[in-house]
Amino acid sequence: MSQLNLDAIRDCLEGFVPAKIATCDAEGIPNVSILSQVHYVDREHVALSYQFFNKTRRNVLATRRAHVQVVDPVTMAHYRLRLAYLETQTEGPLFETMKARLAGIATYDGMEGVFRLLGSDLYRVLSIERVPGLMLPAPPRRSLLGAARRCCARMSACTELSDLFDATLAELRALFGIEHAMVLMADAAASHLYTVASIGYAHSGIGSEVAVGEGVIGVCAREGVPIRITHATSEYGYGRAVAESARRSGMSWASMTEIPFPGLQQPHSQVALPILGESRVAGVLFVESTRAMTFWYDDEDALAVIASHLGAMMRAIQHEEAAAPAVAAPGPAPEPARSLVVRHYQADDSIFLDHDYLIKGVAGAIFWKLAREHVQQGRTEFSNRELRLDPEIRLPEHAENLEARLVLLQRRLAERAGCVRIEKCGRGRFRLEVAMKLVLQDVGPGSESAARGATQPAARPRDGSEMR
């Protein structure tokens, strides 16, 4: 390896200026082509996008050698890389990362439907040399280390999961200038992620879901690696296509319990970073912008540090919450005069407050337990520990996200029904505050269709977070 290494020329690998690849066949006849993507793997390896079985591909398989010329988009300096072909990957984190970025490049170049990644060709870099020629002076390099350090320090001061989520997003805005971001937690049992915090959107989207493998967020969660797109791409957008498809298929129950995703309608740059739990992906930190080429590799590196620290802080807070003692059941509370119907559907633990959808899944099962015990025993205080041990809630085997589900439930209640709230009252303990008499209705499996009429009153104005 020469004195230059890949870390010194990473700007060249951002894809802003197309690269060129030169190969020879077994007889030494040269061929030069344009490359869609040269992907940084580590200090000694790159991956090239394999999209067509053409002359370049045949030459590489025959000789296992290639030369690639890349351009620094800032200084316009040219560099030549001498490469040795190792293997082609057609699945896994490297392939999915390159597939997502290629989708963005294709959209930017007007080549959607034409560019399709067949594989990621992995190469060892044998040498790097600068091509003689004029170059522009390099501007001062910004350092994100200080911003990442201050953000992590602010996160470390948090003792509650809800505060941790809010502080993380607030510091991203204050220190990095990121205006649109969200935190999503993974529900491994249901193969989806749910939004627990967001900034910069007209509606919070708390409780909205993204399937694992869907879009930038879902691919990040499935593969456990950062996914960064620097150009707009419809393939990795979210929009409302899934909900519209469900309605056309007659899946009205699914549409009734859908919370609109809060993402930008026309994002041009996106980064999704895995939040790691003890042995799996616990969630995703997601940022986006309406401007193309907003997030470079150094932004990704800094955000990866913050996502890693977010995961560590989540684990620390959750372990402390889980160790808190259970709460003794108090005597009956005074009964309010006004009433609120709480309807529970056993099929998916969906909860409706009067005619308004609240939540479903594990968070719905948690709320049903709280509401039942409040009505039957007059309880108002509960502990995380007792929820973790209650078999009726049917927590997944790896339930490290129990506290995140409580944050989700707390925020959905705050948005949808001010008459019922959840407030912290100590480490690992919380209080159910009820301003109305709860009337419970438990609907058995298979009864959703019969119950839809009861959950859909005559049309009336609602706020922007309504189900659509």
Side-chain angles (χ1 to χ4, degrees):
M1 194 85 165
S2 65
Q3 185 174 0
L4 279 174
N5 60 58
L6 286 173
D7 286 341
I9 63 166
R10 276 191 71 175
D11 281 354
C12 302
L13 310 184
E14 289 293 279
F16 299 146
V17 180
K20 296 177 182 178
I21 180 170
T23 59
C24 291
D25 62 16
E27 283 72 42
I29 299 175
N31 181 75
V32 178
S33 300
I34 300 295
L35 263 176
S36 296
Q37 194 176 165
V38 181
H39 180 79
Y40 175 93
V41 177
D42 57 37
R43 288 173 60 92
E44 297 185 352
H45 297 87
V46 294
L48 309 184
S49 54
Y50 159 41
Q51 298 162 241
F52 313 101
F53 191 82
N54 53 14
K55 180 67 173 175
T56 296
R57 180 71 177 170
R58 290 192 292 271
N59 289 352
V60 167
L61 294 179
T63 67
R64 308 185 76 83
R65 290 291 185 272
H67 285 76
V68 169
Q69 187 159 308
V70 295
V71 180
D72 188 313
V74 178
T75 67
M76 302 309 296
H78 291 232
Y79 297 88
R80 187 178 297 122
L81 284 63
R82 189 164 62 92
L83 308 177
Y85 171 73
L86 299 176
E87 65 177 7
T88 297
Q89 298 183 12
T90 57
E91 60 182 6
L94 175 61
F95 176 80
E96 292 295 340
T97 299
M98 294 186 67
K99 179 182 175 184
R101 293 199 66 188
L102 183 64
I105 295 170
T107 303
Y108 186 74
D109 291 337
M111 298 292 286
E112 283 185 292
V114 178
F115 283 9
R116 185 169 67 89
L117 189 67
L118 300 179
S120 299
D121 288 345
L122 184 64
Y123 290 80
R124 184 173 70 254
V125 180
L126 302 177
S127 65
I128 302 175
E129 60 176 327
R130 191 171 81 80
V131 178
L134 298 176
M135 59 181 290
L136 300 174
R141 192 76 186 183
R142 63 172 181 162
S143 174
L144 298 176
L145 180 61
R149 179 178 180 180
R150 290 193 295 274
C151 183
C152 289
R154 173 69 181 86
M155 295 162 65
S156 296
C158 297
T159 59
E160 304 287 351
L161 209 55
S162 180
D163 294 340
L164 175 64
F165 294 149
D166 291 342
T168 301
L169 298 185
E171 293 302 302
L172 290 183
R173 170 179 278 169
L175 298 174
F176 293 85
I178 294 174
E179 293 296 328
H180 302 91
M182 64 187 81
V183 177
L184 301 96
M185 291 290 101
D187 186 336
S191 299
H192 67 253
L193 301 102
Y194 54 92
T195 308
V196 294
S198 68
I199 58 168
Y201 303 104
H203 309 294
S204 72
I206 299 300
S208 59
E209 298 178 355
V210 173
V212 172
E214 176 189 354
V216 173
I217 294 171
V219 172
C220 170
R222 184 183 68 198
E223 302 299 333
V225 295
I227 302 291
R228 177 166 56 94
I229 292 179
T230 55
H231 306 86
T233 169
S234 60
E235 180 179 354
Y236 287 82
Y238 295 94
R240 300 292 181 262
V242 174
E244 191 61 36
S245 174
R247 290 191 198 93
R248 288 197 301 267
S249 303
M251 298 169 60
S252 57
W253 180 257
S255 65
M256 285 175 60
T257 58
E258 179 212 2
I259 300 170
F261 185 77
L264 293 173
Q265 290 292 334
Q266 294 184 319
H268 288 268
S269 299
Q270 297 179 322
V271 186
L273 305 110
I275 301 169
L276 300 180
E278 293 183 344
S279 59
R280 66 194 60 80
V281 175
V284 170
L285 175 63
F286 176 70
V287 303
E288 59 182 344
S289 171
T290 56
R291 302 188 307 274
M293 299 181 288
T294 298
F295 306 114
W296 290 52
Y297 69 87
D298 48 355
D299 296 283
E300 178 184 322
D301 290 345
L303 291 171
V305 170
I306 292 169
S308 177
H309 191 60
L310 178 56
M313 286 299 301
M314 284 171 50
R315 293 192 296 273
I317 292 174
Q318 289 164 350
H319 287 162
E320 292 185 14
E321 296 274 7
V327 179
E335 191 171 279
R338 298 175 57 200
S339 62
L340 175 71
V341 175
V342 178
R343 188 175 292 108
H344 169 248
Y345 293 92
Q346 297 177 14
D348 60 357
D349 286 314
S350 294
I351 298 291
F352 285 76
L353 302 183
D354 282 340
H355 302 294
D356 293 326
Y357 170 68
L358 176 68
I359 203 70
K360 65 182 176 182
V362 172
I366 291 172
F367 184 77
W368 184 241
K369 169 189 167 62
L370 305 183
R372 277 203 335 267
E373 297 197 6
H374 173 75
V375 170
Q376 296 169 2
Q377 304 174 29
R379 294 191 63 186
T380 57
E381 291 194 9
F382 302 84
S383 72
N384 296 15
R385 181 181 178 84
E386 65 180 287
L387 295 181
R388 208 177 282 277
L389 298 176
D390 192 328
E392 291 188 9
I393 294 178
R394 301 191 299 276
L395 281 171
E397 181 181 356
H398 304 288
E400 70 267 28
N401 281 348
L402 169 63
E403 285 72 22
R405 297 173 200 271
L406 284 172
V407 172
L408 166 64
L409 179 57
Q410 179 186 40
R411 296 186 173 194
R412 281 293 292 164
L413 283 170
E415 287 187 348
R416 304 296 296 176
C419 56
V420 183
R421 304 181 71 88
I422 288 178
E423 300 291 345
K424 295 286 292 186
C425 60
R427 173 67 67 186
R429 299 167 57 191
F430 60 93
R431 180 181 298 111
L432 183 69
E433 298 184 351
V434 180
M436 302 175 70
K437 176 184 178 181
L438 302 185
V439 178
L440 307 184
Q441 295 181 3
D442 197 12
V443 182
S447 302
E448 293 89 345
S449 59
R452 283 177 199 147
T455 61
Q456 297 185 46
R460 66 179 186 226
R462 293 187 181 180
D463 64 338
S465 59
E466 67 179 351
M467 296 166 296
R468 292 185 287 217

